[in-house]
Amino acid sequence: MPNISPIPAFQDNYIWLITNNNHAVVVDPGTAAPVERVLAERQLTLDAILITHHHHDHTGGVEALLARWPQARVYAPAAEPMPAANGIALHDGDKVSLPELALEIEVMAVPGHTLGHIAYYAAAQDQAAPGLPLLFCGDTLFSGGCGRLFEGTPAQMHHSLGRLARLPDQTRVYCTHEYTQSNLAFCHAVEPNNPELKKYLQNVAKLRQQGVPTLPSSIGLEKAVNVFLRAHLAGVRAAAQMHQGAELNEDIEVFAALRRWKDDF
């Protein structure tokens, strides 16, 4: 099965590197230089690039990588500007085959952060498949948080997160920013008595003190600690209502209030 490792970029981005033997695929390369350095150090061939959405810190390195690796396939959302002239446009439910990695991936439309945002999900083929299932979700789901609504609506993001929350609990979550510690501070403000959150806060603090990435997370963990996946719970609703100063009757209203609260947190 493929190996997955983060390539740090900019201030807090992770470009995910997926490898099998000497073959490599990268997810959301916002810049080319750190990717090229790792490829050279590990003597890897770049076979494909996966793009989740059009923001420059996720696509800025594509052109330079293709200049060095013109054979690399570029996959990107059909509903957003294509970062490569010969890129492969993807829609919800499409399948991406990465034979170099022995990996089959399903495309999931998850609008909210941007209108055409997609995620890449690899399901476990059988119980003997180590390391699966896994999810590359860009800026839709973060550990302890979710993306800002730059283009989409609260209803779109709430629906997208609901789709991700229905994936198997053991699904490993590879998002693209090291926002975990600050996200959990917000979650703690909403749910100060959540024991799983308290435990996770301590673990994350130790990891960051050591300079170690907090990712990947898992769907099961996020359902236990991430308030944006917990808008249906009475305690989360009560906290959102108190902050909003108004009654919130629907889960989507709670989610929208949480997102506004986090924007100013």
Side-chain angles (χ1 to χ4, degrees), residues 4-234:
I4 304 171
S5 56
I7 302 175
F10 307 121
Q11 183 176 352
D12 51 37
N13 283 65
Y14 290 133
I15 300 167
W16 291 106
L17 174 70
I18 317 170
T19 62
N20 188 16
N21 296 320
N22 67 327
H23 294 282
V25 171
V26 292
V27 184
D28 285 348
T31 182
V35 176
E36 290 287 15
R37 182 170 59 251
V38 172
L39 294 175
E41 289 173 353
R42 297 173 58 176
Q43 299 183 336
L44 298 169
T45 297
L46 183 64
D47 294 294
I49 299 170
L50 306 180
I51 300 296
T52 61
H53 65 290
H54 67 84
H55 287 164
H56 189 72
D57 64 320
H58 294 251
T59 64
V62 172
E63 183 177 352
L65 289 172
L66 290 179
R68 170 67 179 84
W69 307 95
Q71 82 289 347
R73 309 181 303 280
V74 178
Y75 299 92
E80 298 191 350
M82 179 60 63
N86 297 322
I88 301 167
L90 299 175
H91 302 82
D92 185 50
D94 283 350
K95 306 293 183 183
V96 174
S97 179
L98 301 174
E100 304 90 347
L101 305 181
L103 203 58
E104 297 292 326
I105 291 176
E106 177 185 350
V107 176
M108 300 178 68
V110 285
H113 182 66
T114 65
L115 290 178
H117 201 303
I118 60 174
Y120 298 90
Y121 173 66
Q125 303 301 312
D126 55 61
Q127 293 182 348
L132 295 178
L134 53 87
L135 174 73
F136 297 95
C137 54
D139 287 359
T140 297
L141 174 65
F142 296 129
S143 188
C146 71
R148 285 180 178 266
L149 304 180
F150 286 122
E151 298 175 11
T153 66
Q156 286 176 316
M157 180 63 93
H158 185 248
H159 180 265
S160 295
L161 293 174
R163 291 192 72 186
L164 299 183
R166 289 190 291 274
L167 296 175
D169 282 356
Q170 67 269 30
T171 302
R172 291 184 294 164
V173 177
Y174 295 89
C175 46
T176 46
H177 288 278
E178 184 55 73
Y179 291 163
T180 308
Q181 202 161 24
S182 61
N183 285 341
L184 295 183
F186 173 70
C187 291
H188 186 259
V190 179
E191 285 194 291
N193 298 315
N194 181 335
E196 292 299 318
L197 175 57
K198 291 180 180 179
K199 184 192 309 181
Y200 189 36
L201 270 165
Q202 294 172 351
N203 292 339
V204 164
K206 291 177 183 178
L207 291 173
R208 296 315 294 154
Q209 288 171 1
Q210 299 166 6
V212 177
T214 62
L215 302 169
S217 179
S218 72
I219 291 294
L221 175 58
E222 294 309 309
K223 286 160 63 175
V225 303
N226 188 333
V227 295
F228 292 103
L229 301 185
R230 297 167 63 81
H232 59 287
L233 298 178

Side-chain angles (χ1 to χ4, degrees), residues 230-233 236-237 240-241 248-259:
R230 297 167 63 81
H232 59 287
L233 298 178
V236 174
R237 176 173 299 203
Q241 288 182 152
L248 303 171
N249 296 310
E250 303 292 338
D251 292 351
I252 180 58
E253 294 177 319
V254 176
F255 173 82
L258 290 170
R259 185 61 262 180

